[in-house]
Amino acid sequence: MHSEISIVGPDHATAGPVSLAQGVYGARGNLELVACDAVDGLWVYWFNADHEDDPPATPDVPPGQWSAGLAFASGARYLDAQIVQSPLGPDHLEVLALTAEGVLESWYWSAGPGFQRRDAEAAASVRRFRLTHRDGVLHAHVEHTDGTGAVVESRGEDYPGRAGHEVDRIPVVGDPGAQELLRARGVSDLVEGTARAAHSTRDGGTTELTWRDLGGSIRHLGIRD
């Protein structure tokens, strides 16, 4: 079983792949999605994963629906941005965002001030990347503009600062499994390279698929595990 395919942020012009993670807010953990604006900055959207009978945590967004979106990081054009939920902070959201100039910026969200950019960049001369994390440790698997690869690890000892260093691991970029899942379910209206998968606990365990359709819209589909 799976949820209906939904469109995220139809009122905003966005570009490139998007990234989704399950957050900790709400009774069941909202879904958090970050996308690049087509011209300037970034957008974050959240999906209310609560049930109708749960205490309302985000009354402006009904259960089972996406928010209208919040803009941040104005002043730069981005090619990709990826988000994860961190236990540090506590429970801060972490975002790495790649500018058109190849700079991989490091951002974090906390209640009150919202998204804040760190002074130290995660990496430079980046063509593409993939963000992974475990227990607050971030790994940015990057491909540089000269074709070389690296993995930048940040353990968060100086949190909320994040000093990173390269570690000897094989870079992993891309998410071919997400596109295969969509193809298997008859979804052909997608832009190559934009499909991504994340796991959530909603509905007893769901694979959350996001992609961009040929018309440029962000699409979301949850598949029961």
Side-chain angles (χ1 to χ4, degrees):
M1 297 181 64
H2 58 77
S3 62
E4 296 293 326
I5 295 176
S6 57
I7 299 178
V8 184
D11 299 328
H12 308 135
T14 59
V18 301
S19 174
L20 178 148
Q22 184 175 29
V24 298
Y25 294 92
R28 301 174 190 273
N30 291 345
L31 305 181
E32 309 283 350
L33 183 149
V34 66
C36 302
D37 187 86
V39 178
D40 177 67
L42 302 169
W43 288 93
V44 63
Y45 305 90
W46 54 97
F47 179 88
N48 186 344
D50 291 345
H51 295 171
E52 294 285 352
D53 54 352
D54 288 326
T58 53
D60 55 323
V61 182
Q65 294 189 28
W66 283 96
S67 72
L70 175 69
F72 70 103
S74 62
R77 184 172 70 87
Y78 295 89
L79 305 179
D80 192 6
Q82 297 176 30
I83 189 169
V84 295
Q85 176 70 62
S86 172
L88 302 181
D91 299 329
H92 288 180
L93 294 166
E94 296 273 0
V95 171
L96 292 186
L98 178 61
T99 72
E101 289 74 32
V103 177
L104 191 58
E105 297 177 352
S106 179
W107 292 75
Y108 70 101
W109 179 93
S110 60
F115 283 98
Q116 301 176 77
R117 178 183 169 186
R118 296 185 172 96
D119 293 333
E121 313 297 3
S125 300
V126 176
R127 176 180 296 150
R128 58 178 183 157
F129 77 101
R130 185 177 183 186
L131 173 61
T132 62
H133 81 113
R134 183 175 182 179
D135 299 329
V137 179
L138 301 185
H139 289 107
H141 307 254
V142 303
E143 178 185 316
H144 290 293
T145 53
D146 63 2
T148 61
V151 178
V152 179
E153 180 181 87
S154 173
R155 305 193 66 84
E157 292 93 340
D158 59 340
Y159 198 86
R162 272 210 179 269
H165 64 281
E166 292 191 4
V167 295
D168 186 18
R169 298 187 183 180
I170 299 173
V172 177
V173 179
D175 194 353
Q179 185 161 303
E180 292 173 1
L181 284 171
L182 289 169
R183 298 288 193 197
R185 283 156 181 81
V187 176
S188 58
D189 183 20
L190 63 89
V191 176
E192 296 287 331
T194 63
R196 285 178 172 154
H199 293 285
S200 76
T201 60
R202 72 184 186 102
D203 296 333
T206 303
T207 297
E208 309 290 350
L209 296 167
T210 54
W211 71 101
R212 194 173 293 280
D213 66 24
L214 297 177
S217 297
I218 299 170
R219 298 279 184 165
H220 166 240
L221 172 65
I223 302 174
R224 191 78 58 84
D225 292 339

